[in-house]
């Protein structure tokens, strides 16, 4: 894949993580209501293992289902997506499947908000990525003007300090209304689009995890000793296997790329992953 170059990314200084604001759209409020009191079991995480929204706050949950102290800052940033902000440099976005059975959390360290270029005809994003094709997304930060466009084959990313620098990079569909692109030195970026087609968010992704509603338990049970993965990555690989077996190739492939990214110095584990998930290649 063609990654974003480090020199180019130096112009892409990111803004505060706190900018993911609560949306008050009826569709977003309906989504928030739909996940009230759903207990989420997270996969591949280090410490936060269970999560619940009670209609007002989001809580980490103990193994026996008890709510702990709520998070101070959360937002429903779009239909199917909510955010927790842990600090100025650390936040997480959570992408919920349409059937409310699956969760894909990502840890992010940087982000930039973009809007459809003025005068652009937009529409709700129902067929992705077709519905966002050739729309220009614009924004700016302290260093540069920013533009992005999905041309149907690749993602065009532009930044202007003294002059425009534009790079075409490979991108794949990674989740609901999300394109994923790689950068040099194993960097990873997600471009997430709003359901109404008016906004997009460019994020630097540090970690991708998995998750499912308690009523949709996992089945795969390979051990870390067998796979050669760390306990956390082994848990994520078992979740990816469940997704693959259920026919959810898009989410399974996203997790496989993350597993490969995090295991690039473990040749034995990589080989086993490639054999285990060969149907996704």
């Amino acid at each position: 894949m063609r990654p974003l170059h480090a020199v180019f990314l130096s112009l892409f200084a990111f803004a505060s993580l706190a900018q993911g604001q609560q949306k008050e759209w009826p569709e977003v409020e309906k989504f928030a209501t739909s996940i009230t009191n759903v207990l989420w079991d997270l996969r591949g995480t280090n410490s936060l293992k269970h999560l619940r929204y009670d209609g007002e706050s989001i809580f980490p949950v103990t193994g026996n289902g008890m709510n702990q102290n709520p998070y101070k800052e959360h937002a429903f940033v779009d239909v199917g997506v909510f955010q927790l902000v842990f600090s100025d440099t650390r936040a997480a976005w959570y992408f919920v499947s349409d059937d409310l059975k699956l969760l894909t959390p990502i840890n992010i360290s940087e982000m930039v908000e973009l809007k459809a270029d003025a005068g652009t005809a937009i529409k709700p994003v129902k067929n992705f990525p077709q519905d966002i094709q050739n729309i220009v997304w614009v924004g700016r930060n302290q260093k540069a003007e920013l533009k992005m466009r999905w041309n149907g084959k690749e993602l065009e990313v532009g930044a202007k300090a003294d002059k425009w620098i534009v790079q075409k990079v490979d991108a794949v569909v990674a989740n609901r209304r999300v394109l994923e692109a790689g950068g040099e030195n194993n960097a990873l970026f997600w471009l997430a689009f709003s359901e109404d087609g008016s906004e997009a968010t460019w994020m630097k992704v540090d970690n991708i995890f998995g998750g499912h509603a308690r009523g949709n338990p996992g089945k795969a049970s390979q051990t870390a000793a067998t796979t050669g993965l760390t306990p956390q990555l082994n848990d994520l690989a078992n979740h990816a296997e469940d997704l693959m077996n259920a026919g959810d190739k898009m989410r399974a492939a996203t997790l496989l790329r993350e597993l490969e990214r995090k295991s690039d110095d473990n040749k034995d584990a990589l080989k086993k992953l490639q054999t285990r998930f060969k149907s996704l290649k």
Side-chain angles (χ1 to χ4, degrees):
M1 292 181 66
R2 294 165 298 170
L4 287 165
H5 296 168
V7 172
F8 176 87
L9 288 171
S10 68
L11 292 176
F12 237 95
F14 287 73
S16 169
L17 292 174
Q19 64 179 313
Q21 300 299 313
Q22 177 86 19
K23 297 293 194 328
E24 302 299 336
W25 304 331
E27 294 85 356
V28 177
E29 294 174 357
K30 181 179 178 181
F31 162 67
T33 299
S34 72
I35 65 166
T36 299
N37 291 323
V38 173
L39 178 57
W40 300 104
D41 294 325
L42 307 186
R43 305 295 298 273
T45 53
N46 292 319
S47 55
L48 177 58
K49 298 295 185 180
H50 314 281
L51 204 62
R52 178 189 283 128
Y53 171 64
D54 73 346
E56 295 184 2
S57 301
I58 296 178
F59 299 82
V61 178
T62 64
N64 61 4
M66 299 296 293
N67 288 352
Q68 298 178 291
N69 292 331
Y71 289 102
K72 292 181 179 180
E73 187 171 353
H74 78 270
F76 286 89
V77 296
D78 203 82
V79 177
V81 189
F82 62 91
Q83 174 187 259
L84 294 175
V85 177
F86 306 120
S87 70
D88 290 341
T89 58
R90 204 168 140 265
W93 281 39
Y94 298 80
F95 295 80
V96 181
S97 62
D98 289 333
D99 61 8
L100 309 182
K101 292 182 178 181
L102 298 168
L103 189 68
T104 306
I106 62 170
N107 283 349
I108 64 172
S109 54
E110 302 172 89
M111 64 184 282
V112 173
E113 289 188 344
L114 308 166
K115 294 185 179 298
D117 202 1
T120 301
I122 60 173
K123 60 182 178 180
V125 181
K126 301 299 183 184
N127 298 308
F128 186 79
Q130 295 89 336
D131 287 345
I132 55 95
Q133 184 171 330
N134 292 325
I135 295 176
V136 177
W137 307 89
V138 299
R140 66 176 303 116
N141 56 29
Q142 295 178 346
K143 289 190 175 182
E145 295 180 52
L146 310 169
K147 288 187 178 183
M148 294 192 181
R149 182 173 78 106
W150 169 249
N151 65 21
K153 295 182 178 180
E154 55 211 345
L155 184 63
E156 300 170 358
V157 184
K160 180 183 178 182
D162 298 323
K163 61 180 181 180
W164 280 105
I165 300 174
V166 179
Q167 186 185 352
K168 294 180 179 180
V169 299
D170 295 326
V172 295
V173 175
N175 209 281
R176 59 181 305 150
R177 302 189 303 275
V178 173
L179 292 175
E180 177 182 299
E184 292 182 344
N185 301 318
N186 232 6
L188 188 67
F189 303 91
W190 276 24
L191 181 60
F193 299 86
S194 64
E195 193 274 341
D196 73 345
S198 67
E199 301 175 354
T201 305
W202 177 248
M203 296 174 279
K204 183 178 181 182
V205 178
D206 297 329
N207 301 287
I208 304 175
F209 303 112
H212 46 76
R214 179 60 61 87
N216 180 42
K219 298 178 181 179
S221 59
Q222 289 199 37
T223 66
T226 299
T227 64
L229 298 167
T230 66
Q232 288 77 23
L233 291 180
N234 183 69
D235 185 40
L236 190 63
N238 281 334
H239 180 55
E241 181 180 329
D242 285 334
L243 293 173
M244 178 179 65
N245 291 340
D248 194 338
K249 291 188 175 182
M250 179 265 289
R251 288 181 180 83
T254 295
L255 296 186
L256 176 58
R257 290 191 300 275
E258 173 72 352
L259 289 163
E260 292 174 334
R261 186 171 73 106
K262 292 296 176 62
S263 305
D264 63 352
D265 60 350
N266 187 339
K267 292 183 179 180
D268 181 59
L270 276 175
K271 185 177 180 179
K272 290 178 179 178
L273 282 170
Q274 291 162 1
T275 299
R276 184 179 184 182
F277 294 101
K278 61 182 179 181
S279 67
L280 297 178
K281 296 293 186 180

